[in-house]
Amino acid sequence: EAGVTQFPSHSVIEKGQTVTLRCDPISGHDNLYWYRRVMGKEIKFLLHFVKESKQDESGMPNNRFLAERTGGTYSTLKVQPAELEDSGVYFCASSLIMDTEAFFGQGTRLTVV
Amino acid sequence: GIQVEQSPPDLILQEGANSTLRCNFSDSVNNLQWFHQNPWGQLINLFYIPSGTKQNGRLSATTVATERYSLLYISSSQTTDSGVYFCAPDTGANSKLTFGKGITLSVRP
């Protein structure tokens, strides 16, 4: 069974550009989470989907970040326009139901220059 | 929100040694996970352990939820155990995990 997969693994973009990250959860997992780790900080929660609905987006830093999960399968996280402080590693995780073990993807390393 | 403290922040071991990594948390939790971040940055699930003790090979973990701590034991360490170890409890409020700062383990041959 495939694990959580994220694309791309690395992305380098210029300040002001747009970047879209993708996450494919484990098949059948209704819960999908985005986390990120910026330089020198802890891994922080961004948001949580249950199927296609946003359950909790309290961790989204500002309105330059937009997450979607159309059809309740894969999810995208778009940053527009990107700023230097957005650089970091973006992780996606999925779980079968709430309050159960979450499995993480390999992360997308985003560098904004 | 919940506070998570991991100790020690850094640990250097000689291959074959044993170690204990600690995670303290400030609030009641619904579950707790331990992860190993390998040199390629991937978070590998080690344990899902809201309470009690579990063992998997050379690794074992114990969570005492009533006293708000969890321990990860590594026995007969190997160089491949090197990396960063994270604990991440979930208070049950929307199932989000709160990560500690991690413990950087270096195992020398």
Side-chain angles (χ1 to χ4, degrees), chain A residues 21-34:
Chain A
L21 313 180
R22 172 171 169 146
C23 169
D24 286 69
I26 293 172
S27 178
H29 281 197
D30 284 344
N31 292 268
L32 187 149
Y33 310 82
W34 285 97

Side-chain angles (χ1 to χ4, degrees), chain B residues 4-104:
Chain B
V4 182
E5 291 186 7
Q6 293 188 245
S7 59
D10 302 280
L11 187 57
I12 299 174
L13 298 175
Q14 204 65 34
E15 197 169 28
N18 303 328
S19 63
T20 301
L21 285 59
R22 186 175 182 101
C23 173
N24 291 336
F25 42 93
S26 62
D27 206 346
S28 302
V29 299
N30 264 22
N31 76 65
L32 184 143
Q33 293 188 235
W34 280 96
F35 298 91
H36 175 214
Q37 187 171 36
N38 63 22
W40 297 271
Q42 189 166 7
L43 289 169
I44 307 298
N45 286 39
L46 295 178
F47 292 100
Y48 170 76
I49 184 165
S51 63
T53 297
K54 290 186 178 180
Q55 181 150 11
N56 184 2
R58 295 181 297 104
L59 274 59
S60 64
T62 295
T63 296
V64 183
T66 53
E67 297 186 20
R68 300 183 181 173
Y69 72 88
S70 184
L71 302 173
L72 177 68
Y73 305 94
I74 303 175
S75 65
S76 304
S77 58
Q78 300 177 358
T79 56
T80 51
D81 295 331
S82 296
V84 184
Y85 289 80
F86 292 100
C87 77
D90 160 16
T91 61
N94 299 316
S95 295
K96 58 188 179 188
L97 297 174
T98 300
F99 283 78
K101 292 184 177 181
I103 295 170
T104 301

